[in-house]
Amino acid sequence: MDPTVAERRLRAISGHLFPLSADLASSRFTTNPTAGEFVKVQGYSVVLPEKLYTGKWNVYRSARAPLKLLEGYPDHPEIRTLHDNFLYAAENFRDHRYLGTRIRDDGTVGEYKWITYGEASTSRTAIGSSLVNRGIPQGSSIGLYFINRPEWTIVDHACSAYSYVSVPLYDTLGPDAVQYIISHASVQVIFCVPQTLSILLSFVSDIPSVRLMVVVGGLDENMPPLPSTNGIEVITFSKLLSQGLKNPQPFRPPKADDIATICYTSGTTGTPKGAVLLHINLIASTAGTCLSLDFNPTDIYLSYLPLAHIYERAYQVAMTHYGVSIGFFQGDNLKLMDDLAVLRPTVFASVPRLYNKIYAGIINAVKQSGGLKEKLFNAAFNSKRQALMNGKTPSPIWDKLVFNKIKEKLGGRVRFMTSGASPLSAEVLDFIKICFGCEILEGYGMTETSCCATTMDGGDMLSGHVGSPNPCVEIKLVDVPEMNYTSDDVPYPRGEICVRGHSVFRGYFKDEVQTREVFDEDGWLHTGDIGLWLPMGRLKIIDRKKNIFKLAQGEYIAPEKIENVYSKCKFIAQCFVYGDSFNSALVAIVSVEPEILKSWAESQGIKSEDLGQLVNDPRAQAAVLADMDRVGKEAQLRGFEFAKAVTLVSEPFTLENGLLTPTFKIKRPQAKEYFTNAIADMYAQLSSSPVN
């Protein structure tokens, strides 16, 4: 192309946009009148027509990337893969602290001990070289079956450098699911710890694809002998490392469109689904999320969220890019506060469950203090909240008098927090922001979007939403007429959240059927979540399209499956299992079999005037719940699939009372509304019980 023509085109495009800030990372773009037919600005987002000149104006993009979706880090376009990302970090932060742990070789706990980016780079090369030297082919699946620790990150870097596919394995799904994933992904090498090695050995004859097991933290003399017929080598991590140091191999760099990892989710049918994520997916996701954020090598991050989940995985990719020091927890969530006090992080990622506990703990402590201390806290809290709402800097006196003591709970230096995996109430988010004096942002996403599809924008004072689109994706809402959600809803458009862009996964591994179920012909990923657009282009999650939901700890629940199991309980005529992402446990509404319950009561010497009185008897409720537990154990329900509280009702679910469809399926939204008070009472009961 003629250079003068190219320059004219660039000037023409530039004429349609003007930056509001000279800083590229925080600049917002808007349209001038001549570009108005292509982009509408709505604060943090811009709105475009789905197809130029036709269709609805219903596609939302970040105002930071209105015309072209972000593919990577703007200042470093050469970073296209996870391998590129770590190479960049190792070169620029070679002598800086990178991975830290409190666990000593003898298992005792002490101060954090660190390795540098350079040292991690050397270990990465050694581990990858040992796999190459053992003839593990490029593209092979490598399993990681242990919780967060420095070796996890080093193995992941080795996979990226030598074009292997990392496959995280984790205990929550149970040994059967681990065995399924190993076989489904044809895992050839498994990195584990002594505890998980024993699980693997229990079904070693059923995983023929495995050639090598590497034990992290194991001693050479304790390695179990295996029959030679198995063809599996068991070796310690330290021995594999030393062998690789003696015979290093050149990198086998991946391409941007190569598979980086297969992340298996708990799924909805009992069989885990493997989400295939490419290198470009993870680079685009983290680059987009961090576009307006400020991390640097002086930051310290605590890693305790499971690395098998995408939230923590994406965080580590981002922290590595900016040279941040990553300290690992000691492996026990009950000792997390001790780890925080020792590490004193500046960046903290968590989930609503922990933030809710912190909130409840502070509120309870304030109430118990009473008198002057309670009044002082309330005065400080209200003053600081008012200042923040008005865009002013709160008086430092309140931190000195009240909030510095609270900040010490997280080590005293946290300046930035995020919340994800499930919704955090606006009340708790604002409370945390005020008490800890730092920014806390909430995001929305899933494994299939490589973590964040949206994130709150820095400086946005409104809570109760999940922010604007990640600059690497675009989002639209699709009408769900059967649930009365449409783009024409007033005052806000509503519908199923659909995502398209560079961070969206390529499908489920070896599962074209389920892949086709979530993608439409135009490449939009249908999330199953229902959202609405608030003013300024902010997304708010309001419902689920399917009868599938996520508990507060992030586990997916398919209630019909559980209800089918409980239908085998002798006391149950009908059952409605309920849960949501604000709570970590399921509860159940049970319409009882009248005669069976009455017969049981007589056998127990329990007298009641009628069935209505009997269903409210705590002894009857306990008996039904115990039988549900028995049936659930027989069906091998997972721990989080058990109902933890039950309400008995004498009235059946019928067409007449609006609780059943014509095909006798439970109308879940109507049942939720019908039993609102009972559900609230059960959760109140669970929250006040000693063990939750």
Side-chain angles (χ1 to χ4, degrees):
M1 180 185 293
D2 187 337
T4 57
V5 175
E7 288 172 6
R8 284 201 303 273
R9 289 188 179 181
L10 284 172
R11 283 197 298 271
I13 293 170
S14 300
H16 286 286
L17 303 167
F18 59 90
L20 300 181
S21 166
D23 183 1
L24 176 62
S26 62
S27 67
R28 301 270 169 73
F29 290 90
T30 186
T31 59
N32 71 14
T34 63
E37 61 182 302
F38 300 113
V39 178
K40 292 179 181 176
V41 178
Q42 286 199 7
Y44 299 111
S45 299
V46 296
V47 190
L48 303 93
E50 185 167 359
K51 296 178 181 177
L52 201 58
Y53 302 120
T54 63
K56 294 182 178 180
W57 289 71
N58 61 341
V59 175
Y60 283 65
R61 291 184 176 184
S62 169
R64 296 187 177 91
L67 298 183
K68 184 180 180 182
L69 298 178
L70 199 71
E71 291 186 29
Y73 294 94
D75 293 339
H76 296 282
E78 74 280 5
I79 297 177
R80 302 278 291 163
T81 67
L82 298 181
H83 175 57
D84 295 336
N85 193 53
F86 185 59
L87 274 183
Y88 164 80
E91 290 171 2
N92 285 275
F93 313 112
R94 174 162 293 277
D95 298 322
H96 189 75
R97 296 188 313 180
Y98 181 31
L99 305 173
T101 180
R102 301 183 66 191
I103 307 296
R104 300 290 176 261
D105 291 339
D106 60 2
T108 59
V109 177
E111 293 295 314
Y112 273 92
K113 186 177 180 181
W114 298 88
I115 63 171
T116 65
Y117 274 82
E119 289 166 338
S121 175
T122 300
S123 296
R124 172 272 318 261
T125 302
I127 293 298
S129 296
S130 276
L131 298 183
V132 172
N133 293 334
R134 277 173 168 73
I136 305 299
Q138 191 169 323
S140 297
S141 293
I142 311 295
L144 295 94
Y145 194 15
F146 55 103
I147 63 172
N148 306 24
R149 53 187 292 168
E151 291 88 347
W152 207 109
T153 303
I154 289 168
V155 172
D156 199 33
H157 287 321
C159 288
S160 297
Y162 290 90
S163 290
Y164 295 123
V165 177
S166 62
V167 181
L169 306 166
Y170 55 109
D171 287 324
T172 356
L173 302 180
D176 289 345
V178 171
Q179 181 181 332
Y180 171 83
I181 293 169
I182 293 170
S183 299
H184 189 253
S186 300
V187 171
Q188 294 205 26
V189 181
I190 302 177
F191 287 80
C192 58
V193 290
Q195 299 91 318
T196 54
L197 174 65
S198 61
I199 297 172
L200 292 169
L201 294 179
S202 69
F203 53 77
V204 67
S205 59
D206 298 318
I207 47 176
S209 64
V210 178
R211 298 169 52 182
L212 175 68
M213 292 184 184
V214 184
V215 186
V216 177
L219 300 175
D220 290 326
E221 57 268 25
N222 293 338
M223 291 301 97
L226 287 179
S228 57
T229 52
N230 280 330
I232 298 177
E233 178 188 4
V234 180
I235 188 175
T236 61
F237 183 88
S238 56
K239 191 170 184 179
L240 191 76
L241 181 72
S242 63
Q243 290 177 354
L245 290 171
K246 295 173 184 175
N247 188 13
Q249 297 295 323
F251 295 138
R252 298 176 174 179
K255 297 185 288 293
D257 287 332
D258 285 345
I259 300 174
T261 185
I262 303 174
C263 289
Y264 282 81
T265 68
S266 50
T268 58
T269 60
T271 302
K273 297 182 297 185
V276 176
L277 300 180
L278 311 183
H279 285 269
I280 188 65
N281 294 149
L282 288 159
I283 293 299
S285 174
T286 54
T289 302
C290 297
L291 189 59
S292 63
L293 303 179
D294 180 26
F295 300 115
N296 58 71
T298 64
D299 278 318
I300 302 172
Y301 173 73
L302 176 69
S303 174
Y304 87 96
L305 296 171
L307 269 165
H309 293 175
I310 196 63
Y311 184 9
E312 176 68 16
R313 194 85 173 277
Y315 234 107
Q316 290 220 7
V317 173
M319 295 300 98
T320 297
H321 180 80
Y322 292 100
V324 174
S325 301
I326 301 172
F328 292 85
F329 80 138
Q330 55 186 290
D332 185 347
N333 283 332
L334 296 177
K335 298 176 181 177
L336 184 63
M337 291 302 171
D338 181 46
D339 294 331
L340 284 162
V342 175
L343 184 65
R344 302 184 68 220
T346 60
V347 179
F348 185 63
S350 194
V351 293
R353 195 174 185 185
L354 180 64
Y355 289 129
N356 289 337
K357 284 185 178 180
I358 293 172
Y359 168 80
I362 295 172
I363 291 293
N364 186 51
V366 168
K367 286 182 178 177
Q368 287 185 346
S369 67
L372 183 60
K373 287 186 177 180
E374 184 176 7
K375 290 180 180 178
L376 180 62
F377 177 87
N378 290 334
F381 184 87
N382 292 330
S383 174
K384 198 169 181 181
R385 177 174 60 181
Q386 197 62 40
L388 290 171
M389 288 176 63
N390 293 331
K392 297 179 180 178
T393 303
S395 170
I397 189 65
W398 298 124
D399 283 343
K400 291 180 181 178
L401 291 175
V402 176
F403 296 115
N404 282 346
K405 295 177 182 176
I406 294 174
K407 291 178 184 179
E408 288 300 323
K409 290 181 178 293
L410 298 182
R413 295 194 301 195
V414 174
R415 66 175 186 82
F416 180 77
M417 297 182 187
T418 58
S419 180
S422 59
L424 180 65
S425 72
E427 178 185 5
V428 173
L429 187 146
D430 289 338
F431 184 88
I432 296 292
K433 183 190 300 182
I434 291 166
C435 289
F436 289 93
C438 67
E439 192 160 43
I440 174 169
L441 303 181
E442 186 174 9
Y444 161 75
M446 55 186 62
T447 305
E448 290 84 346
T449 60
S450 309
C451 198
C452 287
T454 71
T455 312
M456 292 175 66
D457 291 80
D460 186 358
M461 299 306 296
L462 181 70
S463 305
H465 63 91
V466 292
S468 61
N470 186 320
C472 72
V473 299
E474 52 190 2
I475 294 175
K476 70 172 182 176
L477 303 183
V478 173
D479 293 352
V480 187
E482 65 269 27
M483 298 179 73
N484 297 319
Y485 294 128
T486 76
S487 57
D488 297 322
D489 288 343
V490 177
Y492 308 121
R494 302 187 299 177
E496 181 184 7
I497 300 166
C498 296
V499 187
R500 186 170 67 181
H502 299 303
S503 67
V504 176
F505 83 135
R506 291 305 185 264
Y508 297 112
F509 190 58
K510 297 179 182 176
D511 195 340
E512 292 184 11
V513 173
Q514 291 203 72
T515 298
R516 285 196 298 268
E517 287 178 0
V518 296
F519 282 106
D520 64 24
E521 63 276 9
D522 293 319
W524 289 98
L525 169 68
H526 288 245
T527 66
D529 291 311
I530 304 295
L532 63 79
W533 288 113
L534 291 171
M536 301 286 288
R538 306 173 175 105
L539 185 67
K540 180 179 178 67
I541 314 298
I542 58 172
D543 205 345
R544 278 288 294 171
K545 180 182 178 183
K546 301 175 183 176
N547 298 331
I548 298 155
F549 50 82
K550 198 193 290 188
L551 293 176
Q553 66 270 43
E555 298 293 352
Y556 284 98
I557 298 294
E560 288 94 344
K561 181 189 83 169
I562 300 170
E563 288 160 356
N564 288 336
V565 169
Y566 285 150
S567 67
K568 299 182 179 71
C569 175
K570 62 185 179 181
F571 296 107
I572 294 178
Q574 295 162 300
C575 179
F576 168 55
V577 170
Y578 177 83
D580 58 39
S581 48
F582 288 102
N583 293 284
S584 58
L586 299 175
V587 295
I589 306 288
V590 167
S591 175
V592 299
E593 289 284 4
E595 298 308 317
I596 293 178
L597 190 64
K598 287 177 182 177
S599 175
W600 170 86
E602 289 175 5
S603 71
Q604 299 295 312
I606 298 173
K607 296 181 180 180
S608 58
E609 296 179 3
D610 55 29
L611 186 62
Q613 183 180 0
L614 182 57
V615 296
N616 289 311
D617 191 308
R619 292 169 293 182
Q621 294 168 352
V624 173
L625 190 59
D627 200 50
M628 291 168 66
D629 286 346
R630 177 190 62 79
V631 172
K633 288 174 183 175
E634 288 178 358
Q636 297 184 324
L637 290 181
R638 294 168 286 184
F640 53 83
E641 292 177 314
F642 283 81
K644 302 300 183 185
V646 65
T647 293
L648 308 183
V649 296
S650 57
E651 177 187 14
F653 307 162
T654 65
L655 287 167
E656 288 71 27
N657 60 21
L659 297 179
L660 293 183
T661 69
T663 55
F664 301 104
K665 294 178 181 177
I666 296 174
K667 291 183 176 179
R668 310 199 75 84
Q670 289 83 347
K672 173 188 173 184
E673 185 175 353
Y674 194 88
F675 296 114
T676 294
N677 292 337
I679 291 169
D681 290 342
M682 284 188 282
Y683 279 124
Q685 171 193 334
L686 288 173
S687 65
S688 62
S689 62
V691 179
N692 185 10

